[in-house]
Amino acid sequence: MTVTKGRRQRHPQAPSEKSERGRHRVKRAIFAVCLVLLAAALAALGTWQVERLAWKRDLIARVDQRVHAAPVPAPARADWNKVNATDDEYRRVTAVGMLANDKETLVYASTALGPGYWVITPLSLADGTSILVNRGFVPTDRRDPASRREGEVSGPVGITGLMRMTEPKGSLLQSNDVVADRWYSRDVAAIAEKRGVSAVAPYFIDADAAANPGGLPVGGLTVIDFPNNHLVYAITWYGLAAMVLALLVFILRGERATA
């Protein structure tokens, strides 16, 4: 008996199988596009952090230069509309006037010396304007002015310190209670209105460490700290972008292997 050898025939794929493979490829393509977009977004965030790093370093350098520069006269009324945080925050300034000790305001403070209060006192200038001065820190048990009369200076005084911008409404955790006279931030406009001080500068001065009679208030406690984690953030975002791209390469290789 003769056996006839024939060629092995391939059976065409069923239409449903082809359709399923097509849908699978479309889904992978869409997923790949999403990964590309995600990687681009992560890389953009990394670049933004690099730009923020340059900005932060410039800010730190500018502030460091200001706090170590020779003091200049505090901006007068004609220049108040030009005062801004970018150009003036932490600038060393001087002012001469009379302290309105009867209008001082206590603002809650937590310092290296412990909890207590900032003593905010209007400084009346010769031109009829006033500047609020943060004369420094007093502990809780010395909040009463009667307990530190020596520090209630009368007569003309010269104040040297750092320009600070107003802190409206309150702190992150506590809002100022103007009616109850409880203060958690140096809100220049609100404090001036509460104390009946007119023509007040839109900034205040943190007095330097020059000793006050009797030792209180304690000045020179301004904390200048600018957290600078932008390099870490940039590395993190770029690293995540690289991981997403690595996943994309893995998927594309798998797609080729199964093609």
Side-chain angles (χ1 to χ4, degrees), residues 70-72 92-95 133-134 157-162 205-210 220:
V72 297
R92 286 191 74 205
V93 296
T94 61
V133 176
N134 175 14
V157 296
I159 300 293
T160 299
L162 302 179
I205 298 175
D206 269 351
D208 64 14

Side-chain angles (χ1 to χ4, degrees), residues 135 160-161 206-212 217-221:
R135 298 188 62 211
T160 299
D206 269 351
D208 64 14
N212 288 305
V218 179
L221 296 178

Side-chain angles (χ1 to χ4, degrees), residues 21-171:
R21 287 174 64 85
R23 284 196 296 267
H24 182 67
R25 287 178 179 176
V26 169
K27 289 179 180 179
R28 283 202 171 192
I30 294 174
F31 186 56
V33 171
C34 290
L35 288 180
V36 170
L37 294 176
L38 177 59
L42 293 170
L45 288 172
T47 301
W48 176 63
Q49 287 298 331
V50 170
E51 294 171 351
R52 292 281 295 174
L53 174 63
W55 169 82
K56 183 62 69 67
R57 286 176 172 172
D58 178 66
L59 172 64
I60 292 172
R62 283 188 284 113
V63 170
D64 185 68
Q65 183 180 28
R66 289 175 190 174
V67 299
H68 292 100
V72 297
R77 181 189 293 201
D79 297 318
W80 286 354
N81 64 333
K82 302 176 185 177
V83 171
N84 62 85
T86 300
D87 298 326
D88 301 303
E89 185 94 63
Y90 301 109
R91 190 181 302 281
R92 286 191 74 205
V93 296
T94 61
V96 177
M98 302 277 289
L99 289 169
N101 294 305
D102 60 325
K103 295 182 178 181
E104 77 173 28
T105 298
L106 298 177
V107 178
Y108 179 79
S110 180
T111 72
L113 301 179
Y117 298 89
W118 299 123
V119 178
I120 311 298
T121 308
L123 180 70
S124 301
L125 309 184
D127 65 356
T129 63
S130 296
I131 302 174
L132 294 190
V133 176
N134 175 14
R135 298 188 62 211
F137 170 83
V138 294
T140 303
D141 60 353
R142 302 294 293 277
R143 62 176 296 173
D144 187 349
S147 67
R148 43 184 169 82
R149 286 299 183 195
E150 290 181 323
E152 303 288 281
V153 181
S154 60
V157 296
I159 300 293
T160 299
L162 302 179
M163 273 185 69
R164 302 295 308 280
M165 299 298 105
T166 184
E167 301 167 345
K169 298 183 180 180
S171 68

Side-chain angles (χ1 to χ4, degrees), residues 154-213:
S154 60
V157 296
I159 300 293
T160 299
L162 302 179
M163 273 185 69
R164 302 295 308 280
M165 299 298 105
T166 184
E167 301 167 345
K169 298 183 180 180
S171 68
L172 181 64
L173 301 177
Q174 294 280 355
S175 297
N176 293 327
D177 189 337
V178 179
V179 176
D181 206 21
R182 287 196 292 268
W183 303 89
Y184 300 93
S185 72
R186 281 85 49 107
D187 186 333
V188 170
I191 291 175
E193 183 178 1
K194 180 69 174 181
R195 295 292 177 260
V197 180
S198 58
V200 64
Y203 57 88
F204 66 94
I205 298 175
D206 269 351
D208 64 14
N212 288 305

